[in-house]
Amino acid sequence: MISIVILGTGNVAKHLFDVFRDINEINVLQVLGRNKHKLSYFKDKVATSTDFSKIVDADILLIAVSDDAVAEVAQFLTGKKGVVAHTSGNVPIAALGHKSRRGVFYPLQSFSEGKPIDFKKVPICIEAENKVDLKSLQELAQLVSFQVHEISSNQRKSIHLAAVFANNFTNHLFAIAGEICADNDLPFSILAPLIKETVEKLDYLPPIEAQTGPAKRNDVKTMESHLNQLKNKNYQDIYSLLSKSIKEKYGQKL
Amino acid sequence: MISIVILGTGNVAKHLFDVFRDINEINVLQVLGRNKHKLSYFKDKVATSTDFSKIVDADILLIAVSDDAVAEVAQFLTGKKGVVAHTSGNVPIAALGHKSRRGVFYPLQSFSEGKPIDFKKVPICIEAENKVDLKSLQELAQLVSFQVHEISSNQRKSIHLAAVFANNFTNHLFAIAGEICADNDLPFSILAPLIKETVEKLDYLPPIEAQTGPAKRNDVKTMESHLNQLKNKNYQDIYSLLSKSIKEKYGQKL
C-alpha cells in the first residue's frame, strides 16, 4: 500500500485523485489547498485542509500546483519523511529545495475540467535523486499507467517545449481553421475527418514523411491565392512563416 | 447504375477507384492516364488507356489529376454527354471550360499511398451548375459517403485554405515536436497520447475554448525559457509568432 498526500486542487490534482481512489494499492490520506471552494470537490471523499502547517506524512507527497507556486508549497514539506514530488513539466527538481527527498511525477497530458482521461495511456515521467525514491515513484506510476518513463529535468524541459508545439500551437491552428470556416458559412465539423486522419497517420509514418501541401511542393500559385484570402495580419504571417519553414525543411528554393 | 470514367492515376484516383469498385450501383467503365507505370495499378480490373482521344462516354467523367493539369485534361472532354467533374479543392469550376456540363466532386481528405481510408466518413463537397447534374453528383457522393455537402467554388477555396492550417501546418508542428524529442533522446511516441487528446477534445469543445498553455496565460518566464531552448531560427520565429497570435486572441497585453 502506498500512502499519498496531494497538495493542490486544480485539474491535475483532481484527475490524479480520481485515478488514485480507484486503485486498491493506493491510499490518499489528505488533500490540501488554500481555495476552500476548490477543496470542496474532495471534501466528502478524503481528509482535507486549508492549513499547510497541518500536513500529515505519507510515502509520497505530491505537489500539483501552478509552476510558480511549487517552490513556495515545497517549503511547507521540510522535515517530512516521504518523497516530495511535483507534477510539473517545466519546473526543475531543484525547485523543491535542498532538504527534502526530491522527485518528479509528471503526467504528460492536457487535463481539462470534466473531460475524462484514460490514465492507463498517459505517459508518466518520473525523476528522483536516489534509487529508493525512484522505485517508489515508479511503483506509483505503474499502478496508474502502462507508460512510465525515467526522464531527467533537462529532458522534461524539452518535452514540455515539444508539447507546446504538439498541443498548444496545433490547437491554435485548429482555431484559425475554424474561423476561416465560420467566415464562409461552413461548419468546423467538415474538417474533423481530415484532422483525425492527420493524427492517425502518425501511427504509420513519422510526421516528416507525412508532410503534404502547397509549401512542400513549392506551389507558388496556390500559396499566393491562400495569402490573398487571409485578412488577419497574424494569420498571413503564420501562413508565410510556416510555409517558409516547410520549404526549407524539404529543400525547396526560397 | 451510375457509369464513371476516371481521368488520372494518382492517390485520389486510386482511392476513388477502389471505393467505387466495391459498390454495386457504380460501374467504372475506364481509367485514363499518361503514365503507363501508374496505369498498371488499374489494368487487370478495368479498361485503361493512355490515349485521351479514346475516352468513352459515361454518366460522370471524373478528373482526378494535379490542379495545374485540370484545365488541360478538361479539353479532351469537350462534346462528352456526361457530367465533367474535377476532384480538386483549390480549382474553380470554371477551369473546366465553358462547353461541358461542369461539376466538382471534392473528397476533403488527405490521401496517402497504401494507407486505407474509411470513405463513409470522408466529406464529399459537390458543386454543379444545374439541378440535374447536382443530383447525379449527389447520388454518387451518397453511395460512397455519409457526409455530402453542396459547396460553392468560393467556399471550397476557403475549405482548402482551412485544410492547410488544420493538416499541413499542424503536421509541420508535429515534425518540429518530433525533432525536439529526437535531439533530447526522447521517443516521439511519448507525445502521442497528448496529440490524440488535443484532437479528441475537439468533439467536446471548439478549439477556441480548448486553448491552454503559456501564451494563453501570458506566462512570460516559461515562454522565454522555451525560446532559449530552440536553436533553429525558423522554430524560434514560429514560437514567437504563434504565441503572439494566441496572446492577441485572448486579449493578453503584448
Side-chain angles (χ1 to χ4, degrees):
Chain A
M1 177 71 83
I2 304 176
S3 62
I4 308 264
V5 164
I6 296 175
L7 300 112
T9 54
N11 273 326
V12 175
K14 274 188 201 168
H15 277 93
L16 284 175
F17 176 73
D18 287 342
V19 73
F20 289 162
R21 276 231 308 168
D22 286 344
I23 297 169
N24 286 332
E25 293 86 348
I26 301 176
N27 186 17
V28 182
L29 302 178
Q30 191 186 25
V31 175
L32 293 110
R34 279 180 194 146
N35 185 322
K36 261 195 182 174
H37 174 68
K38 285 190 164 182
L39 204 54
S40 67
Y41 177 82
F42 305 90
K43 225 176 169 181
D44 298 332
K45 305 163 193 162
V46 66
T48 60
S49 175
T50 55
D51 185 350
F52 281 64
S53 71
K54 294 195 174 143
I55 304 171
V56 301
D57 216 330
D59 296 328
I60 298 171
L61 300 114
L62 271 186
I63 302 178
V65 300
S66 65
D67 289 7
D68 285 344
V70 169
E72 196 193 335
V73 169
Q75 292 182 341
F76 290 99
L77 299 171
T78 315
K80 295 289 169 205
K81 284 183 195 142
V83 186
V84 173
H86 74 66
T87 58
S88 262
N90 205 37
V91 175
I93 198 169
L96 294 173
H98 39 254
K99 283 181 188 156
S100 326
R101 291 161 57 190
R102 303 186 295 192
V104 178
F105 185 94
Y106 168 50
L108 174 50
Q109 188 50 280
S110 158
F111 298 100
S112 302
E113 178 97 38
K115 164 91 175 59
I117 293 270
D118 179 3
F119 241 91
K120 282 282 169 211
K121 292 180 186 162
V122 175
I124 311 280
C125 304
I126 56 167
E127 184 182 359
E129 290 171 310
N130 66 63
K131 281 191 185 168
V132 182
D133 294 348
L134 192 68
K135 209 169 154 262
S136 299
L137 292 173
Q138 202 162 31
E139 268 175 37
L140 178 66
Q142 282 169 347
L143 286 170
V144 302
S145 170
F146 293 133
Q147 271 205 57
V148 180
H149 302 265
E150 198 193 328
I151 297 285
S152 72
S153 283
N154 267 337
Q155 283 179 311
R156 193 157 31 78
K157 256 176 86 172
S158 306
I159 292 179
H160 191 254
L161 171 62
V164 167
F165 280 89
N167 169 282
N168 301 163
F169 290 166
T170 55
N171 184 74
H172 186 53
L173 296 183
F174 294 148
I176 295 173
E179 255 183 71
I180 296 169
C181 287
D183 287 347
N184 292 279
D185 296 322
L186 295 159
F188 179 57
S189 61
I190 203 170
L191 293 175
L194 177 69
I195 290 173
K196 282 178 183 156
E197 176 67 13
T198 309
V199 167
E200 277 172 28
K201 215 176 267 181
L202 300 178
D203 290 337
Y204 296 76
L205 283 175
I208 188 87
E209 286 173 37
Q211 190 66 51
T212 58
K216 189 192 172 186
R217 58 178 192 272
N218 203 15
D219 177 347
V220 179
K221 227 173 83 184
T222 299
M223 287 188 280
E224 267 174 20
S225 127
H226 281 166
L227 276 171
N228 285 333
Q229 286 177 69
L230 289 166
K231 300 287 162 274
N232 180 308
K233 178 70 170 59
N234 279 340
Y235 301 171
Q236 286 174 347
D237 291 344
I238 290 169
Y239 190 99
S240 299
L241 179 58
L242 284 167
S243 295
K244 174 174 172 257
S245 181
I246 292 171
K247 281 190 283 184
E248 284 185 19
K249 176 68 66 196
Y250 296 90
Q252 297 284 6
K253 256 192 220 157
L254 292 179
Chain B
M1 178 70 85
I2 304 177
S3 62
I4 308 267
V5 164
I6 296 175
L7 301 110
T9 54
N11 273 326
V12 175
K14 274 187 200 169
H15 276 94
L16 283 175
F17 176 73
D18 288 342
V19 72
F20 289 162
R21 277 229 310 168
D22 286 343
I23 296 169
N24 286 333
E25 294 85 348
I26 302 176
N27 186 17
V28 182
L29 301 177
Q30 191 186 25
V31 176
L32 293 110
R34 279 178 192 147
N35 185 323
K36 261 196 182 171
H37 173 68
K38 285 191 165 183
L39 205 53
S40 67
Y41 177 84
F42 305 90
K43 226 176 168 180
D44 298 332
K45 305 165 194 161
V46 66
T48 60
S49 176
T50 55
D51 185 349
F52 280 67
S53 69
K54 292 194 175 144
I55 303 171
V56 302
D57 217 329
D59 296 327
I60 298 171
L61 301 113
L62 271 186
I63 303 179
V65 300
S66 65
D67 289 6
D68 284 344
V70 169
E72 197 192 336
V73 169
Q75 291 182 340
F76 291 98
L77 299 171
T78 314
K80 295 290 170 207
K81 283 183 198 142
V83 187
V84 173
H86 75 66
T87 57
S88 263
N90 205 37
V91 175
I93 198 169
L96 295 172
H98 40 253
K99 281 179 187 158
S100 327
R101 291 162 55 191
R102 304 186 294 192
V104 178
F105 185 93
Y106 168 50
L108 173 50
Q109 188 49 282
S110 159
F111 297 101
S112 302
E113 178 98 37
K115 164 89 175 62
I117 292 271
D118 179 2
F119 241 91
K120 283 283 168 209
K121 292 180 187 163
V122 175
I124 311 280
C125 303
I126 56 168
E127 183 181 359
E129 290 171 310
N130 65 64
K131 280 190 183 171
V132 182
D133 294 349
L134 192 69
K135 207 168 157 264
S136 300
L137 293 173
Q138 202 161 33
E139 268 175 37
L140 179 66
Q142 281 167 349
L143 285 170
V144 303
S145 171
F146 293 133
Q147 271 205 57
V148 180
H149 301 265
E150 198 193 330
I151 297 285
S152 72
S153 283
N154 267 338
Q155 283 180 311
R156 192 156 32 78
K157 257 177 86 173
S158 305
I159 291 179
H160 191 253
L161 171 62
V164 167
F165 280 89
N167 170 281
N168 301 162
F169 289 166
T170 54
N171 184 73
H172 186 53
L173 296 184
F174 295 149
I176 295 173
E179 256 184 69
I180 296 168
C181 287
D183 288 348
N184 293 279
D185 296 323
L186 295 159
F188 179 56
S189 61
I190 204 171
L191 292 175
L194 177 69
I195 289 174
K196 281 178 186 159
E197 175 67 13
T198 308
V199 167
E200 276 172 29
K201 214 177 268 185
L202 300 178
D203 290 338
Y204 296 77
L205 283 176
I208 187 88
E209 286 173 37
Q211 189 66 51
T212 58
K216 190 191 171 188
R217 56 177 193 271
N218 204 14
D219 176 347
V220 178
K221 225 172 85 184
T222 299
M223 288 188 279
E224 268 174 20
S225 127
H226 282 165
L227 276 171
N228 285 333
Q229 286 179 69
L230 289 165
K231 299 286 163 278
N232 181 307
K233 176 72 169 60
N234 279 340
Y235 301 171
Q236 287 173 346
D237 291 345
I238 290 169
Y239 190 97
S240 298
L241 180 58
L242 285 167
S243 295
K244 173 173 172 259
S245 180
I246 292 171
K247 281 191 281 183
E248 283 187 20
K249 176 67 70 197
Y250 295 91
Q252 297 285 5
K253 257 195 220 157
L254 291 177

